[in-house]
Amino acid sequence: MAGVESIRRGYSRPIGSLTQMATIRLGKRTDKRAPLIKEFVPLADLNDIVFGAWDPIPDDALTAARKAGVLEEKDIERIADFLKGIKPMPAVFENKYVTRIHGTNVKKGKTKRDLAEQLRQDIRDFKTRNKCDRIVIVWCASTEIFIKAGPQHATIEQFEKAMEKNDDAIAPSMLYAYAAIMEGVPFANGAPNLCVDTPALQKLAIDRGVPISGKDFKTGQTWMKTVVAPGLKARMLGLAGWYSTNILGNRDGEVLDDPQSFKTKEESKLSVLHTILQPELYPDLYKDFSHVVRINYYPPRGDNKEGWDNIDIVGWMNYPMQIKINFLCRDSILAAPIVLDLALFSDFAQRAGMKGIQEWLSFYYKSPMAAPGLQPEHDLFIQQTKLKNTLRHLMGEDQITHLGLEYYAS
């Protein structure tokens, strides 16, 4: 496994990455202090990162990149040697949880506990082999079938017993999360799977001093909802209905063509609008609005996901209006910088002594994790403020409130 130097020779910077490109304001506006986040916060240097993976499909990263069809060959060729050196370790994978994928690069074990221990050994071996000081794991795999939290997820003792009994309530993603936490490795869940969002693993993360975050990368249509919905609410515009449909042709689309996997994704997508608009506080504007989400697998589209949104809004004196959004995006291109940011911020959080749920990383997720009984924040702009204020806090800088009265004091 190689570092990322070969990537950086081909590209001057990772476009779209908050940790690499964004600035952060410090102090008053008149102070004109706005360093890059990467210069303000002691993040890991990109030259020091080593990449590795598990995957049920044995293709090296070069072969996988060519098959995925996300990047053009001229871009792949620049880093071909680097990608060829990344060969996936055998994965923990069961077809019952992701029915549309069939892999051969799969671990075997008598129990799920055995499989989790194999993952732990992989982490230790990878760290030794590559002389890494620290490890971070970001789950970028497929959406699993819908699973509700049950007694198997209540305590770590019950969780471990369920692993030993090969209980169906323990999905592969949970084994990765368990292995990561047991090895003291920060874990970020980029899929809508239940995964680490259980009392057992959250308590384990706190006990072992491990940062965790999730769930489901906020990339395309839901990202747009967390931009538009706060604007509607800020202007007190009513909502009669929001119809969303997606056309997606990559492996993610194929997986979500299965009703059980789609159910998991649907739960993640549907919660956003209700949380932002708060119909219980504004019943005249948002009570009983219709919210429909569809995902259609259409192979010719490939990774170029297309999202269509029809938004029926209500203005002054109940006059109806509409907003139409057609977002033709590239799913993996939007997700890649999120993976990088989460890896760097999760590592920083652990070095800063933070543990358990990292709500300040909600900026990156469709269905953010929050403390039990606490409503998660979905508004993208509040999430960004929370993220930057957390960085200011950790670095000993004042919070930014945007009050600004001091500029007008007589």
Side-chain angles (χ1 to χ4, degrees), residues 37-101:
I37 287 175
K38 67 177 181 179
E39 295 172 351
F40 173 62
V41 179
L43 301 175
D45 191 284
L46 295 187
N47 291 311
D48 296 332
I49 298 176
V50 180
F51 292 94
W54 293 274
D55 201 301
I57 297 172
D59 295 341
D60 61 53
L62 177 60
T63 304
R66 284 175 169 154
K67 285 184 178 180
V70 175
L71 302 177
E72 296 178 8
E73 182 59 33
K74 63 181 178 62
D75 294 318
I76 295 175
E77 186 57 36
R78 299 182 187 182
I79 55 173
D81 291 341
F82 167 75
L83 293 175
K84 194 173 183 179
I86 301 177
K87 297 179 174 62
M89 296 172 282
V92 173
F93 178 80
E94 283 190 69
N95 193 238
K96 71 172 73 173
Y97 295 97
V98 184
T99 62
R100 301 300 172 92
I101 291 179

Side-chain angles (χ1 to χ4, degrees), residues 388-400:
K388 289 192 173 183
N389 269 338
T390 300
L391 296 178
R392 294 182 184 106
H393 167 73
L394 292 173
M395 298 303 295
E397 290 281 345
D398 292 336
Q399 307 296 288
I400 301 296

Side-chain angles (χ1 to χ4, degrees), residues 10 16 38 51 90 94 137 156 165 231 264 267 287 302 304 320 337-338:
K38 67 177 181 179
F51 292 94
E94 283 190 69
I137 293 176
I156 196 60
K165 294 178 179 178
T264 307
E267 289 286 322
K287 184 181 179 182
N304 296 335
I338 291 178

Side-chain angles (χ1 to χ4, degrees), residues 3 28 54-55 69 80 88 90 94 98 101 117 119 124 149 178 222 291 300 315 333 337 352 359 392:
K28 298 179 180 179
W54 293 274
D55 201 301
E94 283 190 69
V98 184
I101 291 179
E117 293 302 322
L119 292 174
R124 292 191 290 266
Y178 171 83
T222 306
H291 187 197
I333 296 298
E359 192 189 350
R392 294 182 184 106

